[in-house]
Amino acid sequence: MSHDGVGPRAVLRSVAFLTAGTLAASALAACSADDEQKSKPVAAQDISPAARALVADGGTLRWAVDAVPETLNTFQADAGAATTRIAGAVLPSLFRLDAQGRPQRDPDFLESAKVVSTEPKQVVVYRLNQQAVWSDGREIGADDFAAQWRALAGKDNAYWTARNAGYDRIEKVERGANNLEVKVTFGKPYADWRSLFSPLYPKDVTGTPDSFNDAARNGLKVTAGPFSIAKVDRKGGEVTLARNPRWWGRPAKLSQIVLVAVPLDQRAAALADGKVDMAEVNPEDAERVTLAARDKGSKPLQGPSATPSGATGAPGAEQQHALQQALRGFVIRKSLEPAYTQLALNGSRGPLTDERVRRAIARALDRTELAGLVLKPLGLPAVPVGSHLALAGQDAYQDNSGSLGKQDTAQAQALLTEAGWVPGGAVKEEPKKKKSTAGPEGHKAEPGDGTGTAGAYIVGQDDKPPAQHDPRDHANKPADEQAGRRLDGELQQEHGRRPGGAPGAYAPKGTAAPGGAASGVLAKDGKALQLRFVLPSGPGSKTLRTVGDRIVRMLQKVGIRTEITDVPDDSYFKDHVASGDYDLALYSWPATAFPATDARPIFAKPVPAADGSLSVEQNYTRVGTDQVDQLFDQAIATLDEDEERDLVRKADARIWATAASIPLYQRPQLTATRTNLANAGSFGFETPVYEDMGYLKKGAKPSTSPSS
């Protein structure tokens, strides 16, 4: 869920990103006081925790999602957030995230898991809960692990998998002393072994390509969690989960969880109409819910105008009041998502191939001001993100933004001068640009459009210019083919559901920065320093556009001229960011639980592909260095948890130094829930505990802990 823009959310952790833990939970006792402070999340989760004894038995939770998932197999490319949510309720996950984003063994499935040998090879032994069984009565065992490894190892092309990271390092999976003991031997050391087998599918799904590719898309006959899948109604837009009668853990409080497909801009009306009981919402609807809770004393309207569902589109005052009256039974739970929004700089063309220009942009930005612009109005901590690879609360987090330096207009201007961009001088007239066919507000660059060269020079400390290739002419798929198709699905979730909202003020297309450096426009070789800033134009892009407008003003102060280009939401990422048709863009990445594994494709140095194109994996800024790649490789191969953390931090400092991705702020998470719904809301880092969710007993009040 995003309230501030579009971004490829769940492309990293085999769709079930942030369900299986973060960097290994090494001893924090040895950390300094500063590290202890860093270990705390910026905002705590907000789920109205209540002891199970206070939660009533039974009831249905209708939970809004973006769409009924295309597949129920999280390891397929078109899986999305709803796929992950379902998997968390119906399938085993060996490790769960705690509130600090650290992995904790789930005792319902796992009695123990540890590395028992490192020489000559790494060996991990899992001992499973003796009560753990699939819904057909068969015990969960070594056969399920072996089948999943074979399906995801990347050696059998008959399996249509989105990724194989980690599984491709396994040499063999064997039964131990019995079927509940699983011995996994790695051919190469793998630091992030805790990421594997979460979720775990039954061998009925992973045992054959046909069942993996097709059967698991529309249903899961065999599950193992507090809930099972009762019905998938694609036409009606609902997935119904029911209590699993064979569940051996604490019984689920709710009788059913129904996932209901509701676009973001329709969620306030759906809440008011009683169609859903919980939904992540945009800031405008969150404010409506908050105001409704404060206005319980006013009299509801009478008559036809009081119909909540009439409050869509551009409702009048009476309809707005009716909507507010109907929202009185809800409250907003707010936290921060484990994801951040960044300013991306395309380093493959034009002025941005010069690291000094990118650094100047970074020094021109006041990231604290930008974070405050988004988060302060929501009552959330306005703390800029200091890492590309972790967020505050995770062990790997360290603020490495000092690698670029703080906001400094004078230093930014000095860097531009050093790069040859000087005030005044004759400026060649830019050719007129054709309108995009993508939409009335869109503007799509033609070949040769914009600034700079068409060739891609990947900048970095130890780089050499590769053969020249057109950055717009490549497939934009990582080696494991995860990103491309899944990004589309995720982007639909991210920006295809936003409410109406007036666009923020911003510089019209082609408008030069007034003033800027002492004599106005900066130029070099007769060409003005102008950058193409691509932003989505959909009704829900208000926050992004506001941030973009403020960035434009900041760049104006150092003499950088910015052209805002509006593009339709459905083409923003695929046709512009992923294809390299932009200079500046705003989009989001998750702070993955396993950065050594998952973040490497995002920051890996692009290389020429066999077909002559530039292979960028998921590195859409197209900037990387050999040294960053080496640090990732070292981090993933060490079994020393402290060393892995330190290598990840070093890699992040190097990424900051390239000035191609500038993290701005952690994304807000706003969830409307019924006032009596407990143990559910804005989860932050923590994995939802589905069996504890439910409605409070009459007269009961939330406690400080959900356990009992």
Side-chain angles (χ1 to χ4, degrees), residues 528-552:
L529 178 49
Q530 177 168 305
L531 300 176
R532 186 164 175 266
F533 197 168
V534 178
L535 289 174
S537 60
S541 56
K542 182 178 179 180
T543 300
L544 265 195
R545 294 165 70 86
T546 301
V547 172
D549 169 45
R550 192 63 58 90
I551 289 173
V552 166

Side-chain angles (χ1 to χ4, degrees), residues 65-73 76 78-80 82-83 86 213-220 229-240 258-262:
V65 295
D66 302 299
V68 172
E70 293 294 325
T71 178
L72 298 179
N73 185 341
Q76 292 183 334
D78 55 350
T83 312
I86 292 168
N213 298 340
D214 298 318
R217 292 188 65 80
N218 298 316
L220 294 173
I229 298 174
K231 185 179 181 181
V232 178
D233 181 2
R234 297 189 183 280
K235 186 176 180 180
E238 293 185 353
V239 177
T240 301
V258 181
L259 304 180
V260 185
V262 183

Side-chain angles (χ1 to χ4, degrees), residues 313-658:
E318 290 185 346
Q319 290 173 324
Q320 287 279 20
H321 187 68
L323 176 64
Q324 187 169 318
Q325 295 285 330
L327 291 173
R328 288 179 174 180
F330 294 89
V331 65
I332 293 297
R333 308 290 179 198
K334 58 185 177 181
S335 184
L336 292 172
E337 275 194 73
Y340 66 88
T341 294
Q342 64 168 356
L343 176 67
L345 290 73
N346 183 355
S348 69
R349 68 180 195 179
L352 296 183
T353 60
D354 190 330
E355 187 174 286
R356 293 169 296 185
V357 177
R358 300 199 305 271
R359 282 177 167 267
I361 291 173
R363 297 298 293 272
L365 300 182
D366 186 333
R367 297 188 309 116
T368 300
E369 180 181 338
L370 293 172
L373 196 65
V374 175
L375 300 173
K376 279 185 178 179
L378 303 176
L380 289 166
V383 180
V385 173
S387 170
H388 298 80
L389 306 179
L391 292 172
Q394 296 182 294
D395 287 348
Y397 184 77
Q398 179 173 284
D399 188 342
N400 292 308
S401 59
S403 299
L404 278 176
K406 296 181 180 180
Q407 193 277 335
D408 190 321
T409 299
Q411 284 296 317
Q413 291 172 333
L415 284 164
L416 292 172
T417 301
E418 182 184 336
W421 296 95
V422 296
V427 177
K428 296 178 182 178
E429 185 178 350
E430 294 290 336
K432 292 183 179 180
K433 300 182 176 76
K434 298 179 181 179
K435 290 185 178 181
S436 168
T437 57
E441 295 182 327
H443 177 87
K444 188 173 182 180
E446 301 295 316
D449 183 27
T451 58
T453 64
Y457 177 72
I458 307 307
V459 189
Q461 178 175 334
D462 44 11
D463 296 326
K464 295 180 181 179
Q468 298 295 300
H469 302 291
D470 189 331
R472 294 177 289 273
D473 184 23
H474 57 81
N476 297 295
K477 291 183 181 179
D480 59 14
E481 292 193 21
Q482 168 140 5
R485 287 168 290 174
R486 186 176 304 153
L487 290 178
D488 287 352
E490 287 302 318
L491 289 167
Q492 290 170 13
Q493 299 162 24
E494 292 294 310
H495 65 269
R497 50 183 177 161
R498 283 182 166 40
Y506 57 91
K509 298 174 189 174
T511 300
S519 61
V521 179
L522 299 181
K524 180 179 181 180
D525 299 329
K527 197 167 190 178
L529 178 49
Q530 177 168 305
L531 300 176
R532 186 164 175 266
F533 197 168
V534 178
L535 289 174
S537 60
S541 56
K542 182 178 179 180
T543 300
L544 265 195
R545 294 165 70 86
T546 301
V547 172
D549 169 45
R550 192 63 58 90
I551 289 173
V552 166
R553 296 180 192 176
M554 292 175 181
L555 297 184
Q556 285 175 356
K557 292 181 180 179
V558 300
I560 296 176
R561 177 171 161 174
T562 307
E563 176 196 36
I564 293 286
T565 301
D566 299 318
V567 299
D569 283 357
D570 58 2
S571 68
Y572 176 69
F573 197 87
K574 179 177 65 174
D575 296 339
H576 297 276
V577 175
S579 69
D581 184 21
Y582 76 100
D583 291 321
L584 304 175
L586 292 169
Y587 59 92
S588 301
W589 281 120
T592 165
F594 297 95
T597 295
D598 295 333
R600 192 187 194 283
I602 299 173
F603 301 105
K605 178 181 174 180
V607 295
D611 63 358
S613 65
L614 192 67
S615 176
V616 303
E617 297 195 63
Q618 293 168 292
N619 186 350
Y620 303 121
T621 67
R622 292 154 174 82
V623 174
T625 73
D626 294 333
Q627 196 162 33
V628 168
D629 291 354
Q630 291 165 6
L631 287 166
F632 275 122
D633 291 342
Q634 293 168 17
I636 203 61
T638 181
L639 297 181
D640 183 316
E641 296 169 353
D642 291 335
E643 182 182 3
E644 181 190 13
R645 180 194 63 220
D646 292 343
L647 287 165
V648 166
R649 290 175 172 178
K650 288 179 181 178
D652 177 57
R654 295 286 183 179
I655 294 167
W656 272 105
T658 65

Side-chain angles (χ1 to χ4, degrees), residues 258-297:
V258 181
L259 304 180
V260 185
V262 183
L264 186 64
D265 60 349
Q266 298 175 25
R267 290 189 179 173
L271 289 162
D273 285 339
K275 294 179 180 178
V276 293
D277 307 301
M278 180 166 73
E280 289 191 49
V281 296
N282 59 62
E284 292 77 16
D285 285 339
E287 185 177 5
R288 290 190 182 101
V289 172
T290 301
L291 289 173
R294 295 174 183 169
D295 193 33
K296 290 184 178 180

